[in-house]
Amino acid sequence: MVLQHASQSELKRSGLRVLGMAWEAPQSQDGCFFQVPLPGGQTLSVVLATKQECSSREFAKSCFTALRGKSFSGVGVVADEADGIYPFPIAKSNVIAVPVYDASRAERRLQGFERLWNLCVEAANEGSSILLHGNRSFHRGPVLCAAILVKCGMSKDEAFALIAEARVIYKGHLAALSQWPKRQRIGCHARHLVEAHRFLVRLESCCRSSA
């Protein structure tokens, strides 16, 4: 198992390279990690993986090695409930549900994200790391990861481009809705994803206005 890594400095040198994008999720793929500077100068380590990976001791060991001994001090789950079982010690209060889809859950999403961001700051200060996951981390997982990268000072598009350097993500994250295949524009999935992107746009705007 290889934990993929994407470099923010490489992204700045090469521009927005859309590498890992697809309309359908792959059967499986390895987790990935990002090390990005916070506005205060600390470095935040974030791992994005699938729910199945996060239950694996092998995956936990590979993260520990790749992150040079950093343990997980917080977990962000892109669902209504944070009910995962993890092969590493983690306080239940530090496993946080952030339902990124559906405008009806917007208040819970914002509250969950604020709690998760506070854990991110603590992790950067303490030298630990943050784990993020969805079922396949193809649609929703990248949205939550992008939100954290936006809080670190990146634009929404830069965040998705960086994530796409390390794993295959939904092509609609960087394609306009008018460019989506017809079958991708039908149903609640498209509506939920577009609303989740509006959340990221608002977050980016707030970060810029407070900078």
Side-chain angles (χ1 to χ4, degrees), residues 10-130:
E10 178 63 26
L11 177 70
K12 289 180 178 179
R13 287 195 296 270
S14 61
L16 297 180
R17 300 184 302 164
V18 183
L19 300 181
M21 308 289 284
W23 291 112
E24 302 294 338
Q27 290 297 317
S28 64
Q29 60 178 324
D30 292 328
C32 59
F33 74 98
F34 312 91
Q35 293 177 301
V36 291
L38 266 63
Q42 315 95 315
T43 297
L44 173 64
S45 297
V46 179
V47 173
L48 176 62
T50 65
K51 183 177 182 179
Q52 183 176 359
E53 277 183 306
C54 293
S55 64
S56 162
R57 290 187 181 277
E58 180 187 354
F59 177 73
K61 289 178 181 178
S62 69
C63 291
F64 190 79
T65 300
L67 297 174
R68 298 181 179 180
K70 288 185 177 181
S71 59
F72 291 120
S73 58
V75 178
V77 184
V78 294
D80 291 334
E81 302 295 335
D83 57 356
I85 298 175
Y86 308 101
F88 50 83
I90 185 77
K92 188 174 181 179
S93 60
N94 285 2
V95 180
I96 300 173
V98 186
V100 298
Y101 270 11
D102 193 346
S104 66
R105 304 178 180 125
E107 186 174 350
R108 284 190 60 202
R109 175 178 59 199
L110 182 58
Q111 291 173 348
F113 181 70
E114 288 176 347
R115 288 179 59 206
L116 181 62
W117 176 247
N118 289 337
L119 284 181
C120 288
V121 174
E122 291 177 12
N125 288 332
E126 297 170 357
S128 56
S129 58
I130 297 294

Side-chain angles (χ1 to χ4, degrees), residues 6-8 11 14-22 29 32 34 36 48 78 100-101 109 113 132 137-176 180 189 192-204:
S7 165
Q8 187 178 11
L11 177 70
S14 61
L16 297 180
R17 300 184 302 164
V18 183
L19 300 181
M21 308 289 284
Q29 60 178 324
C32 59
F34 312 91
V36 291
L48 176 62
V78 294
V100 298
Y101 270 11
R109 175 178 59 199
F113 181 70
L132 309 175
S137 287
F138 178 72
H139 296 102
R140 296 175 298 170
V143 172
L144 182 55
C145 189
I148 289 176
L149 296 177
V150 166
K151 284 287 285 186
C152 290
M154 301 181 71
S155 71
K156 175 174 75 74
D157 287 349
E158 286 173 338
F160 282 118
L162 181 63
I163 298 167
E165 284 194 358
R167 71 184 291 108
V168 178
I169 65 174
Y170 185 62
K171 197 169 184 177
H173 286 313
L174 275 171
W180 292 18
H189 161 72
H192 289 332
L193 190 137
V194 168
E195 197 282 324
H197 273 250
R198 291 194 185 112
F199 162 70
L200 292 175
V201 169
R202 292 192 298 270
L203 182 64
E204 183 180 343

